[in-house]
Structure formats: C-alpha cells, structure tokens
C-alpha cells in the first residue's frame, strides 16, 4: 500500500497519479462502449483536471522564497487563480474540440475530481 502524508508533496503527486489512473480507465471504458472519438474526449476530460492539479502542486510545493504567512497565502491564492483559469481554458478547448462527445469529457472530469475526495479520506484516516 502506498503511504501518503498530508503534510508533504507526496499527497499532491499521489493525487495526480490517481487522477491519471482514473483517466486511463475512463478512456478504456469510452473506447469499449462508444468509439475512438469518445475515448479521446474522455482522455481530454482527464487532462482538464490533471494539468491544473499538477500546476497547483508545482506552484505550491516548488515555490521559492521565505516562509512568512503572507507570502505563503499569496502563493496559494495565485496558484488557485491560475488553476481556475487553466481549468476554464481547458474546458473551453474541450467543448470546441469534442462538442459531439462532451459527455465522456465531463464524466471523466467528474470522476477525476472524485479522486480528490478519495485521497482526502485516505490522508485523513492514515
């Protein structure tokens, strides 16, 4: 069993890995149930969640500078704003590219977001 701790970067990267596994499974299901276009939409749905998550983790855990509370909070807010803008942009691109197959895209995104709660439950119960 992989051991993650809520106080270090391993939780963030474990979250990205969990979301990647979820994306792979959803892509495979979409391929089997529907077709190649639906599986590509599902893959992009995972990318819509994984890329902003990795961006946020990198901004928070790889930040340079002091450890004053105001600096940490500012880094957090900037990272969160960047994550939200990146997510909105990726959803827009996904809607434009995969409009006919938007259901697999959004369902995969929702499944990846559910991994956030699963990782929280694992970290809290550890």
């Amino acid at each position: 069993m992989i051991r993650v701790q809520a106080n270090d970067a391993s939780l963030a990267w474990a979250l990205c890995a969990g979301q990647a596994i979820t994306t792979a499974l959803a892509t495979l299901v979409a391929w089997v149930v529907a077709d190649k276009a639906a599986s590509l939409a599902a893959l992009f749905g995972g990318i819509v969640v994984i890329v902003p998550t990795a961006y946020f983790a990198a901004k928070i855990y790889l930040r340079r500078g002091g450890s004053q509370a105001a600096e940490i909070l500012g880094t957090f807010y900037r990272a969160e704003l960047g994550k939200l803008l990146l997510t909105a942009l990726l959803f827009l691109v996904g809607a434009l590219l995969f409009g006919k197959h938007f259901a697999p895209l959004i369902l995969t995104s929702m499944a990846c977001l559910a991994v956030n709660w699963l990782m929280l439950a694992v970290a809290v119960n550890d």
Side-chain angles (χ1 to χ4, degrees), residues 95-114:
L96 294 173
L97 292 177
F98 302 104
K100 292 182 180 179
H101 299 283
F102 197 70
L105 187 149
I106 197 73
L107 289 173
T108 303
S109 296
M110 290 168 50
C112 286
L113 290 173

Side-chain angles (χ1 to χ4, degrees), residues 71-96:
E71 293 173 11
I72 294 170
L73 190 60
T75 300
F76 178 82
Y77 283 140
R78 284 188 297 278
E80 187 63 32
L81 178 63
K83 178 182 165 187
L84 291 172
L85 292 173
L86 187 55
T87 302
L89 178 66
L90 288 171
F91 266 123
L92 175 64
V93 170
L96 294 173

Side-chain angles (χ1 to χ4, degrees), residues 26-79:
T27 301
L28 181 63
V29 167
W31 185 300
V32 170
V33 171
D35 57 5
K36 182 180 177 183
S39 67
L40 289 174
L43 177 65
F44 195 83
I47 290 170
V48 165
V49 176
I50 296 168
V51 169
T53 300
Y55 169 82
F56 183 83
K59 282 293 196 182
I60 294 297
Y61 291 109
L62 300 178
R63 70 175 175 78
R64 304 250 192 263
S67 59
Q68 297 295 322
E71 293 173 11
I72 294 170
L73 190 60
T75 300
F76 178 82
Y77 283 140
R78 284 188 297 278

